[in-house]
Amino acid sequence: MYFAALLARTEDGWEASDTELDDVETLSDLTDLAREASVDEDTVLVFIEQEDAWFGVIRVDGEEDPRIYISDASAAARSSYGEILLTDELLGREPEAEDSIAALEELVGLDGTEDGEPDHTTDNQTDDTDDGLDADAVPTGPLGDTGILSDLGLAEKELLMLRTDALVEIADALGAAEVLETVR
C-alpha cells in the first residue's frame, strides 16, 4: 500500500494535501504536480511511502530541478512509483545510453555481419564485451540527496537513520506533523 502527500511551504507554515499518483508517469509529471501546489514558488515536498519497504522525498524549489532522496533504491526499483524516482541521473547512468548504443549498432551493423548475412555465433562462443557487471543494477540502501532536508530541520545523519514511520518523523522535524496527519 502506498501513501503520497504534498507539503507546500507558505508564509503561515506548511499546508498538506493528499495526492493521487495515478496520472503520474514520469519525474517531470511529479515535478509539475508539486509546482502546481506551490505558493509563490516556495518549497514543496512530495512524500511517497510504500509500507515498511521504502520512502522517497522529492523537493521542488521554484523552477529549480527537483532534488530526490530514496531510503532504499533496490526496494523502490521493484515499485512502479519508485521507478519514477530512479532516474538515469540519480543512478549515475548516461540517459538512454543503452538505447542509443543499440540503435547505433543496428544502424552501422557492428555485429560483424553484412546485411542479410546470418550471424554464425555458435552456442559455445562468448561475447568478449561482457565484463560480468550488470549496468542496470540498482544499489541497495539510500540513494540521492541526503541533505535534501538539512536546511528545514532534519540533518543528513537523521534522515539516513529513518526506517518505519519515516514520513511522520520528517514532518515532525519540519514542524508539519499535525498538517500531515490531516491527510494521512
Side-chain angles (χ1 to χ4, degrees):
M1 181 163 170
Y2 289 96
F3 170 73
L6 293 170
L7 274 182
R9 192 178 204 178
T10 68
E11 288 180 3
D12 301 324
W14 293 96
E15 290 182 7
S17 60
D18 188 9
T19 188
E20 288 295 322
L21 299 177
D22 294 340
D23 296 331
V24 174
E25 296 179 10
T26 65
L27 180 59
S28 182
D29 293 343
L30 192 57
T31 303
D32 290 344
L33 186 68
R35 286 191 177 117
E36 289 171 11
S38 176
V39 177
D40 297 324
E41 295 190 3
D42 274 336
T43 300
V44 176
L45 302 174
V46 181
F47 293 140
I48 301 174
E49 179 180 58
Q50 184 179 7
E51 280 184 4
D52 297 328
W54 68 276
F55 70 90
V57 179
I58 302 89
R59 178 177 177 165
V60 178
D61 293 301
E63 292 300 316
E64 292 179 28
D65 287 341
R67 295 167 57 190
I68 303 168
Y69 173 78
I70 301 171
S71 66
D72 187 338
S74 65
R78 294 184 297 271
S79 157
S80 58
Y81 296 125
E83 287 179 345
I84 292 171
L85 306 181
L86 292 169
T87 63
D88 288 334
E89 182 180 341
L90 190 65
L91 292 168
R93 299 180 188 153
E94 282 291 320
E96 301 177 21
E98 291 177 12
D99 294 339
S100 300
I101 292 169
L104 285 172
E105 286 176 347
E106 185 177 313
L107 181 67
V108 296
L110 292 179
D111 64 356
T113 62
E114 295 290 329
D115 286 340
E117 182 180 321
D119 184 0
H120 294 291
T121 305
T122 61
D123 289 340
N124 58 1
Q125 287 178 324
T126 60
D127 182 1
D128 293 336
T129 61
D130 185 12
D131 58 6
L133 298 175
D134 184 5
D136 291 328
V138 175
T140 301
L143 184 66
D145 185 350
T146 57
I148 192 170
L149 301 171
S150 293
D151 64 324
L152 298 175
L154 188 68
E156 291 180 40
K157 184 178 179 181
E158 293 171 14
L159 181 63
L160 289 168
M161 292 186 335
L162 295 177
R163 295 292 172 246
T164 58
D165 293 326
L167 300 186
V168 172
E169 291 186 43
I170 291 170
D172 189 43
L174 301 176
E178 288 180 22
V179 294
L180 182 64
E181 194 59 37
T182 62
V183 298
R184 203 159 177 133

